[in-house]
Amino acid sequence: MTDQSVLISEQDLSAFIVGVLNAAGVPPADGKIVADCLLMANLSGVDSHGVVRLAHYLRRLENGTINPQPDITFKQTAPSLGYVDGGDGLGHVVGYHAATRAMDLARTAGTGGISVGNSSHYGMAGFYAIRMAEEGFIGLSMTATDRFLVPFGARKAFFGTNPICFGFPTDGIPVLLDMATSSIPYGKVALAAAEGQSIPDTWALDAEGNPTTDPNAVAGLHPVAGPKGSGLAMVIDIFCSILAGMPWGPHINQMYAEMGGRRELGHFLMAIDVARFMPLATFKKNLAEMLTEFTSLEPATGFDRVYYPGQIEGLRRQQRRADGIPVDLGLAEELAGLGARFGVPFPG
């Protein structure tokens, strides 16, 4: 919370999001799924994937490139596999249904793998993995995105920053490794641009494939760990795009630059039933012992403690649920404008 932001409760923001989406033709139940996903990001401190995206989704709903009431279909292709066609709906709703199908299959077959096609931006990958972990499953969630990652050894962007997430059940904050395949999040570039600051020349490349210190000239980001991140981005695109029969790499509709076209995004989600290996309580006990030992490690110079993946975000969710979600004043003004246009009062 700063003097440039306002605190709003999760409940109030959720009601606002649902109300605005409903006014745009999205059924209330689907709007609640979108609100839950966006606010999971805000609560976790991943504000780049939170309510700041609402205006964009509304623009696509209004221009018809996202269907507010999609016909989401499911075809089971094997005892533990299936395909979800999202009908060009909101990706959060499509992803939620895919996670449900993955868990249904896993309850019967032990695992459930779902290929998803004809979807759109599905928000924070961790939203689906957390949901599966809270149900006692190991959850896997990944999505293809439009090109912005420059493959190792190349000069031009080819893949998206393709995120991948693993979630593991605990009796407290789930273990959640939620990562993009770029070496830095684009949010750092955007922040530097907004503040008029330069960036290190190791962060990104310009349109000619040269290192740049100008955040406004960035046309692509480097992959994390060089060839490893580059290869992982390709693997994610194979799972999410090729396997789903969707456009891949540079052929994916650009989220902001190509507003007139359908997104045609693919995702891949999987649930693994821990109880098929050992009692869930035993798994959680063993994992708790690992986490206790891990977080007891002596911190390095400059660090106050050692956190496990997802722990910082989980602690932030607890704090923000109690104190409210900080919304930048500029964003609050934009949301208030949306509310006025759709007849839904903004709570800020």
Side-chain angles (χ1 to χ4, degrees):
M1 177 65 178
T2 70
D3 58 1
Q4 297 300 310
S5 62
V6 59
L7 288 175
I8 306 175
S9 74
E10 176 186 9
Q11 293 76 18
D12 287 347
L13 262 181
S14 177
F16 173 76
I17 294 168
V18 173
V20 169
L21 289 173
N22 188 216
V26 177
D30 288 356
K32 183 63 166 60
I33 292 171
V34 177
D36 287 347
C37 184
L38 296 182
L39 296 183
M40 174 67 76
N42 284 120
L43 289 167
S44 302
V46 189
D47 295 308
S48 62
H49 283 58
V51 71
V52 68
R53 303 272 184 158
L54 181 60
H56 171 76
Y57 300 139
L58 288 166
R59 284 193 289 273
R60 282 193 172 271
L61 286 165
E62 290 181 299
N63 75 7
T65 56
I66 291 181
N67 186 347
Q69 300 184 36
D71 180 19
I72 300 174
T73 61
F74 170 69
K75 180 181 180 180
Q76 186 170 348
T77 58
S80 63
L81 297 172
Y83 179 82
V84 165
D85 186 309
D88 295 319
L90 286 156
H92 324 76
V93 180
V94 179
Y96 185 92
H97 284 283
T100 298
R101 293 293 188 177
M103 291 187 288
D104 288 345
L105 292 178
R107 290 185 182 98
T108 301
T111 60
I114 303 293
S115 175
V116 182
N118 292 315
S119 186
S120 61
H121 187 260
Y122 82 161
M124 175 182 167
F127 173 70
Y128 312 97
I130 288 175
R131 181 174 173 233
M132 289 187 277
E134 289 177 343
E135 292 287 331
F137 299 96
I138 294 172
L140 171 63
S141 167
M142 64 181 92
T143 184
T145 60
D146 45 301
R147 66 181 182 272
F148 205 63
L149 186 87
V150 180
F152 182 71
R155 297 177 68 90
K156 304 282 186 177
F158 188 89
F159 293 117
T161 55
N162 296 356
I164 184 169
C165 181
F166 300 87
F168 299 88
T170 68
D171 283 325
I173 297 170
V175 174
L176 192 78
L177 176 62
D178 188 351
M179 56 172 279
T181 45
S182 56
S183 59
I184 59 132
Y186 178 71
K188 288 189 175 182
V189 176
L191 180 62
E195 294 179 346
Q197 302 293 323
S198 62
I199 60 174
D201 64 5
T202 56
W203 277 16
L205 301 172
D206 63 18
E208 302 305 317
N210 299 311
T212 181
T213 60
D214 180 1
N216 296 298
V218 170
L221 300 176
H222 292 290
V224 62
K228 297 179 182 179
S230 184
L232 182 57
M234 175 180 281
V235 168
I236 294 169
D237 226 324
I238 293 171
F239 265 104
C240 297
S241 300
I242 302 298
L243 190 62
M246 292 290 103
W248 42 268
H251 306 288
I252 293 175
N253 170 277
Q254 294 183 63
M255 185 170 180
Y256 293 99
E258 297 176 323
M259 288 291 291
R262 298 161 52 223
R263 292 307 315 280
E264 296 182 280
L265 284 187
H267 321 306
F268 186 84
L269 292 92
M270 176 174 281
I272 301 172
D273 187 0
V274 172
R276 299 301 181 101
F277 295 93
M278 64 180 66
L280 180 59
T282 302
F283 176 86
K284 289 181 176 180
K285 174 179 175 295
N286 293 345
L287 181 53
E289 291 175 357
M290 172 194 279
L291 297 179
T292 298
E293 188 172 341
F294 179 84
T295 55
S296 297
L297 289 169
E298 181 180 356
T301 301
F303 293 84
D304 58 348
R305 57 180 291 191
V306 177
Y307 295 91
Y308 63 81
Q311 187 179 17
I312 292 175
E313 294 80 4
L315 293 171
R316 190 172 288 122
R317 286 194 294 274
Q318 294 172 4
Q319 176 193 352
R320 290 189 172 186
R321 282 197 167 107
D323 299 340
I325 295 171
V327 177
D328 178 82
L329 292 180
L331 175 58
E333 183 177 355
E334 176 186 77
L335 295 174
L338 288 176
R341 185 155 65 88
F342 287 95
V344 181
F346 180 64

